[in-house]
Amino acid sequence: MRTRAPAVVGLLAAASLGLTACADLGGLDLESVGDEGKTTYIKLALNQAETHPSYIALANLSDRFEEATDGRWKIEVFPNEQLGSQQEVLQFVKSGAIEMAIVSGTQLENMNKDFQVLNMPTTFSSIEHQMNVIRDQDLMEPLFQSLADTDNISVIGGFTQGTRNLYTSDGGVVTPADLAGQKIRVQESAMHIRMIELMGGSATPLSYGEVYTAIQSGVLDGAENNEVSYVTQNHHEVARFHSNTEHLVGLDYMVMRDDLLDAMDDADRELFLQEWDAAMDEHTDLWNSETDAAIERAKASGAEFVQVDEQAFAEALAPIRDEFLTNDFQRGLYDAVRDADTGENAS
Ligand code: GCU
């Protein structure tokens, strides 16, 4: 997937842009990464708790890569937004202050609108469909490499966010009309603001770590997320009504400093990408069992699971495609992703 020539160009560009400032921000000395006789520390930012499948898969990735390189590399995973919100850490990867982060697709759409295609309701029918698509290197490369030259960000793959649903504090939602006047937290994305509007609510963009308090204090009436986040963030304590709108199969990306990927020697890079691939598999395997466990935990603590009128929400959301697929690249990618769906919901 990677070509070597632009790497050198990238490094030269970084040098001429004065990215040596990275060192001041705690960045790496790219000349000596992975060298024998020392440990190269890689900072990886995550906004999830230690019980979340993403943390588990990344911690195991870290162990395997450290062991396979006899301790020359050590990936330090910082959970719980310790290094900042996703919006912030994405800028840190870009500036070289940290090396890697897991960020939601909604964050990348703010850097390149083409990412919207994969953040849209109806794009993915299932987790299996989604993971097959993001492992299709020919299809993904234009998108995954689109920020490398301009922002020094390389996307190397992703973790599913599973199916996202709505949850609210003041009664369940069955039809879009039930959402009228309700303030619902969304990720920082123009498309997701519109998504909630079409679903009948009023959207408030906010970073992940602030959602619990906003609902608890009554500033917001609810949010939308997968069941794993609903429980690992304790949102089920403050928004007791979970309505299965299943409006979206969301996607997180692993983003990495492109110049670091280029600075790794070939064998280390290959090893790292191999272990990352195994981390994607482990994450997918964990996802279904953790979702079931989260639903059980939520129910046991008194959350109510409400059946929505699926047809009514599907009809409400239908206009989003035409509004947000605005150029030929986006329409072509959307069609190719839909064509790759071989599951039972294939259209
Ligand atoms: C999911 C996703 C996160 C994202 C969060 C959110 O948990 O995995 O990457 O930040 O949703 O709604 O903000």
Side-chain angles (χ1 to χ4, degrees):
M1 189 169 174
R2 296 191 65 76
T3 46
R4 304 307 310 150
V8 180
V9 177
L11 277 177
L12 291 174
S16 67
L17 284 172
L19 285 188
T20 41
C22 294
D24 300 330
L25 294 166
L28 293 177
D29 173 11
L30 292 178
E31 296 288 308
S32 65
V33 288
D35 281 2
E36 293 287 350
K38 67 168 205 166
T39 302
T40 297
Y41 289 91
I42 299 294
K43 289 185 276 309
L44 194 172
L46 178 71
N47 65 356
Q48 308 289 1
E50 286 99 326
T51 48
H52 190 281
S54 299
Y55 181 82
I56 297 167
L58 293 170
N60 290 337
L61 162 69
S62 167
D63 289 347
R64 288 196 305 273
F65 191 47
E66 182 178 7
E67 193 180 324
T69 59
D70 293 324
R72 286 184 296 109
W73 292 91
K74 172 82 188 152
I75 301 171
E76 300 176 291
V77 186
F78 292 88
N80 295 314
E81 293 192 355
Q82 278 170 28
L83 298 182
S85 67
Q86 286 190 346
Q87 214 164 31
E88 291 163 338
V89 299
L90 188 57
Q91 293 307 314
F92 294 158
V93 175
K94 177 174 166 171
S95 72
I98 68 171
E99 287 72 41
M100 295 183 205
I102 298 287
V103 296
S104 180
T106 49
Q107 300 295 338
L108 293 183
E109 93 183 34
N110 294 322
M111 298 178 95
N112 172 4
K113 288 218 177 327
D114 293 343
F115 278 95
Q116 279 173 345
V117 177
L118 305 191
N119 299 337
M120 193 176 318
T122 76
T123 299
F124 296 116
S125 306
S126 64
I127 296 174
E128 191 188 2
H129 172 217
Q130 180 184 61
M131 293 317 285
N132 285 339
V133 164
I134 68 162
R135 285 176 184 280
D136 181 337
Q137 299 196 344
D138 290 338
L139 187 57
M140 289 297 105
E141 181 161 11
L143 198 58
F144 283 11
Q145 288 305 303
S146 63
L147 302 170
D149 292 341
T150 47
D151 299 283
N152 195 30
I153 283 175
S154 194
V155 176
I156 63 168
F159 286 156
T160 190
Q161 295 179 0
T163 306
R164 296 180 74 109
N165 297 288
L166 201 68
Y167 41 86
T168 45
S169 54
D170 189 20
V173 168
V174 177
T175 67
D178 297 335
L179 262 192
Q182 300 217 44
K183 288 202 263 332
I184 303 298
R185 177 269 176 172
V186 289
Q187 299 177 76
E188 299 95 329
S189 146
M191 192 172 70
H192 283 200
I193 291 173
R194 182 69 180 132
M195 176 181 80
I196 287 295
E197 286 171 2
L198 288 170
M199 289 169 74
S202 150
T204 303
L206 198 69
S207 74
Y208 191 48
E210 295 177 68
V211 179
Y212 181 95
T213 314
I215 299 176
Q216 187 187 39
S217 65
V219 170
L220 294 182
D221 300 302
E224 54 79 49
N225 218 312
N226 55 62
E227 290 92 345
V228 175
S229 286
Y230 181 49
V231 170
T232 54
Q233 294 294 306
N234 300 318
H235 293 171
H236 65 297
E237 294 174 1
V238 290
R240 274 200 323 112
F241 299 90
H242 183 285
S243 305
N244 68 331
T245 45
E246 296 186 354
H247 49 273
L248 177 70
V249 182
L251 182 58
D252 282 338
Y253 295 97
M254 169 72 113
V255 295
M256 179 169 176
R257 280 177 62 171
D258 188 61
D259 56 1
L260 171 60
L261 210 43
D262 289 332
M264 293 174 101
D265 77 28
D266 291 351
D268 283 353
R269 184 187 318 104
E270 201 175 312
L271 197 59
F272 168 68
L273 292 176
Q274 224 175 322
E275 294 302 350
W276 160 247
D277 212 58
M280 288 202 284
D281 281 341
E282 183 182 5
H283 185 275
T284 309
D285 288 346
L286 278 171
W287 192 262
N288 288 335
S289 56
E290 288 305 304
T291 299
D292 292 345
I295 293 172
E296 285 318 307
R297 278 203 294 279
K299 282 185 177 161
S301 77
E304 264 183 56
F305 282 70
V306 178
Q307 177 63 44
V308 302
D309 178 343
E310 291 165 27
Q311 187 63 24
F313 278 102
E315 281 168 14
L317 280 167
I320 207 163
R321 258 196 324 246
D322 285 346
E323 286 181 33
F324 285 87
L325 296 178
T326 55
N327 62 39
D328 287 347
F329 176 82
Q330 293 170 1
R331 283 186 284 267
L333 180 58
Y334 180 83
D335 290 345
V337 172
R338 293 302 313 146
D339 286 349
D341 180 16
T342 55
E344 56 186 33
N345 299 325
S347 50

